[in-house]
Amino acid sequence: QQQVKQSPQSLIVQKGGISIINCAYENTAFDYFPWYQQFPGKGPALLIAIRPDVSEKKEGRFTISFNKSAKQFSLHIMDSQPGDSATYFCAASMGGSQGNLIFGKGTKLSVKP
Amino acid sequence: DAGVIQSPRHEVTEMGQEVTLRCKPISGHNSLFWYRQTMMRGLELLIYFNNNVPIDDSGMPEDRFSAKMPNASFSTLKIQPSEPRDSAVYFCASRPGPGDEQYFGPGTRLTVT
């Protein structure tokens, strides 16, 4: 049973465009939703995270949109750059950020110059 | 800070052999996590420790897998005997404490032939 479903599996965007990655979850007890960025040969690194008491969080070019009623959240990368090319994972956990993370299967983003 | 250190970075072994993966968490972190990453199943939590004590090992796939944390600065994940389906990238992550983000190591790529 996959508790966090992520789409698309891969995404190609032109430089300067907007990259959008979507995730859906099933367990309404989840209350912490981070996004991780992974470059080849490296471990995942926290990019941005949100809790369900807000509908949007923005950090620089990265924005998380959260829809509690639909049990969905998404990552938007504005003005995408070739350096953003990486695999992005959404995750969810219970009990705040103390809980174990359940990851989506990842989206491989390629930003073309 | 050197970050989470994992060794070896690559391991190639034959089916039936014992494999030991090693992790040194960031100094001062009191939680340690072992993950497995495959194309088919994505990132899966295998086991995590709080203050060197195993808290949840429900993700350990079989009795062939075992993990130890003899002290705050060292952990091992052992597979005995190894099988080709164990081929994956194994990540170790550590966390300063509850409510903090997880910091991932660079991973160990294991190939079992």
Side-chain angles (χ1 to χ4, degrees):
Chain A
Q1 181 185 3
Q2 188 181 353
Q3 296 195 54
V4 178
K5 294 184 179 180
Q6 184 172 346
S7 63
Q9 276 190 309
S10 62
L11 181 62
I12 300 174
V13 174
Q14 289 296 124
K15 178 182 176 182
I18 302 174
S19 304
I20 302 174
I21 304 170
N22 300 299
C23 281
Y25 62 97
E26 298 167 3
N27 191 336
T28 55
F30 288 146
D31 61 1
Y32 176 65
F33 303 90
W35 284 89
Y36 279 76
Q37 180 187 53
Q38 184 179 25
F39 292 105
K42 304 288 187 182
L46 179 67
L47 184 64
I48 187 172
I50 198 169
R51 298 188 188 279
D53 53 343
V54 296
S55 60
E56 185 175 283
K57 183 174 181 179
K58 184 176 181 179
E59 290 184 2
R61 297 184 294 108
F62 300 91
T63 300
I64 299 179
S65 296
F66 184 82
N67 186 329
K68 188 175 182 178
S69 61
K71 292 187 288 185
Q72 295 176 347
F73 58 110
S74 60
L75 176 69
H76 296 234
I77 306 174
M78 311 299 289
D79 187 25
S80 300
Q81 299 296 312
D84 297 331
S85 298
T87 300
Y88 293 81
F89 295 91
C90 62
S93 72
M94 291 178 277
S97 52
Q98 304 179 39
N100 296 336
L101 293 172
I102 298 174
F103 284 88
K105 290 200 172 182
T107 297
K108 186 173 183 180
L109 171 65
S110 296
V111 181
K112 300 300 184 185
Chain B
D1 196 329
V4 176
I5 298 173
Q6 292 187 246
S7 64
R9 292 295 311 276
H10 302 273
E11 177 80 30
V12 179
T13 191
E14 292 183 347
M15 181 174 62
Q17 296 298 306
E18 177 180 295
V19 175
T20 300
L21 311 180
R22 297 173 176 79
C23 175
K24 177 178 169 55
I26 294 172
S27 178
H29 286 197
N30 61 21
S31 297
L32 183 141
F33 304 79
W34 281 102
Y35 291 88
R36 178 172 66 177
Q37 185 175 39
T38 62
M39 289 294 293
M40 287 295 294
R41 300 175 66 90
L43 262 170
E44 302 174 280
L45 177 67
L46 300 177
I47 185 171
Y48 85 96
F49 297 82
N50 270 354
N51 296 316
N52 313 337
V53 177
I55 301 301
D56 182 359
D57 65 353
S58 59
M60 296 286 262
E62 300 171 33
D63 291 345
R64 298 183 296 106
F65 286 70
S66 63
K68 294 182 179 180
M69 192 165 186
N71 57 62
S73 60
F74 184 66
S75 177
T76 60
L77 178 67
K78 185 176 293 186
I79 308 172
Q80 165 64 19
S82 58
E83 297 183 3
R85 60 194 168 118
D86 301 331
S87 297
V89 181
Y90 291 81
F91 287 102
C92 175
S94 69
R95 184 176 70 189
D100 298 314
E101 73 174 274
Q102 295 182 25
Y103 294 80
F104 283 76
T108 295
R109 180 173 294 278
L110 172 66
T111 303
V112 183
T113 59

